[in-house]
Amino acid sequence: MSPHSEIVLAGGTGLSYRRCPFGWSRELKVQDSGVDPVAHNRAAWDKYVQEGNEWSRPVSAEDVERARTGDWSIVLIGHEPVDRSWLPADLTGKDVLCLASGGGQQGPILAAAGAKVTVFDNSPRQLGQDQLVAARDGLELRTVLGDMRDLGAFGDATFDVVFHPVSNLFVPDLAPVWRECFRVLRPGGTLLAGFLNPDAYLFDHEALDERGELIVVHKLPYSDVTQYSAEERATKFGADAALEYSHTLTDQIGGQLAAGFVLTGFAEAPHQSDASAPYMSHYFATRAVKPG
């Protein structure tokens, strides 16, 4: 198999995207008209890649080789391998969209397992990690640059699976994400989505990170751009940190149902290192199907 990887620009960055780093529809609801979340978070994630963020470290050649023999796992939430029964038993020839899933991790493994993979992400450098693995290990892999809320680069009913790991905290509105996922999936297709427990945003992050104390200070839903000024964000998180937005379970789960999905699976996991881990699940995951 000859290596193939291309980068396609989808959508744009002209419309109004830190602490737990983990990529628009025609209608766009913006919480802060002074911030372009797409452009800001694109630059933030490009920097995270340069800094070696754990969600930007490509899989090894050995991992790819094992996946070719059927021995593989990928992460949807936290560090927990996704339940293999949530995916087709045989991925050979299946069209899979890894949505906001750059970094050279899930996409290459699924490609090595036989799927026809497209990785879509807002960060060119994140996509570059997938291109690196594709070239290194001779994988067929397509990469597309864009905002997860606008999948206009793809036609209706294009994919059998959408794999969407924890990443929608980086966009202010979710309804376009679920509508687009529903549109690009074929009837009977599956959406696997991971997302943060919104309660994780209740706590003062400095007390949590520095002293392991759970001190409730924020009302929900939370947003970096409405909770803090640009100057405060720069002081607390760094001027280049990604912008984050909490989303209610109504928006996360109810939004999938409103888009037309039928939920067929649910899972949760603690944070791998956060002080909240003994007390609450930090991550949720859903398996949803587009009715045939």
Side-chain angles (χ1 to χ4, degrees):
M1 181 181 296
S2 61
H4 170 72
S5 180
E6 62 177 311
I7 185 164
V8 179
L9 177 62
T13 62
L15 300 186
S16 320
Y17 160 34
R18 153 180 75 102
R19 298 156 301 281
C20 43
F22 292 72
W24 115 38
S25 166
R26 313 301 175 194
E27 303 171 350
L28 191 55
K29 170 182 166 187
V30 181
Q31 294 189 17
D32 184 341
S33 60
V35 176
D36 179 345
V38 175
H40 182 98
N41 281 3
R42 179 169 292 171
W45 270 98
D46 280 353
K47 184 176 180 181
Y48 290 151
V49 175
Q50 292 179 294
E51 294 172 343
N53 182 276
E54 74 167 305
W55 304 111
S56 301
R57 300 171 193 159
V59 294
S60 68
E62 291 75 19
D63 290 332
V64 170
E65 191 57 37
R66 283 195 297 271
R68 285 186 164 120
T69 69
D71 178 14
W72 59 270
S73 67
I74 52 175
V75 168
L76 183 63
I77 53 174
H79 286 181
E80 300 285 338
V82 69
D83 187 337
R84 287 277 294 267
S85 70
W86 280 23
L87 289 156
D90 184 2
L91 285 170
T92 304
K94 297 293 186 182
D95 290 299
V96 177
L97 175 63
C98 291
L99 179 60
S101 179
Q105 299 183 357
Q106 296 96 354
I109 294 297
L110 292 170
K116 297 163 60 178
V117 174
T118 298
V119 182
F120 186 97
D121 200 274
N122 186 42
S123 162
R125 288 188 180 273
Q126 278 283 81
L127 293 175
Q129 302 296 73
D130 293 276
Q131 296 161 9
L132 181 155
V133 179
R136 184 192 69 195
D137 299 328
L139 296 171
E140 293 286 342
L141 187 76
R142 183 186 186 205
T143 59
V144 181
L145 178 69
D147 182 331
M148 70 180 86
R149 295 169 291 176
D150 182 2
L151 302 182
F154 312 118
D156 296 352
T158 301
F159 298 101
D160 301 297
V161 177
V162 174
F163 190 87
H164 181 44
V166 179
S167 56
N168 65 31
L169 67 157
F170 299 117
V171 292
D173 49 336
L174 294 187
V177 177
W178 305 135
R179 288 198 301 266
E180 286 287 83
C181 287
F182 190 86
R183 180 184 65 80
V184 302
L185 275 170
R186 296 181 176 121
T190 305
L191 165 67
L192 275 64
F195 48 92
L196 282 181
N197 180 345
D199 290 353
Y201 285 97
L202 287 169
F203 308 111
D204 177 84
H205 82 280
E206 292 171 321
L208 190 65
D209 294 344
E210 297 173 10
R211 302 187 299 277
E213 298 175 355
L214 278 66
I215 300 176
V216 174
V217 294
H218 298 134
K219 292 183 178 180
L220 301 180
Y222 168 92
S223 163
D224 280 346
V225 298
T226 57
Q227 182 70 32
Y228 300 111
S229 68
E231 293 75 16
E232 289 170 328
R233 292 196 300 270
T235 298
K236 287 179 174 291
F237 315 126
D240 298 328
L243 299 173
E244 295 186 16
Y245 307 82
S246 82
H247 299 292
T248 65
L249 294 181
T250 297
D251 287 341
Q252 294 281 15
I253 298 175
Q256 293 182 50
L257 296 172
F261 284 105
V262 175
L263 292 181
T264 60
F266 182 84
E268 51 191 306
H271 194 282
Q272 58 273 13
S273 59
D274 193 278
S276 67
Y279 305 99
M280 59 185 283
S281 295
H282 202 89
Y283 303 106
F284 298 142
T286 53
R287 182 184 188 273
V289 173
K290 179 176 180 176

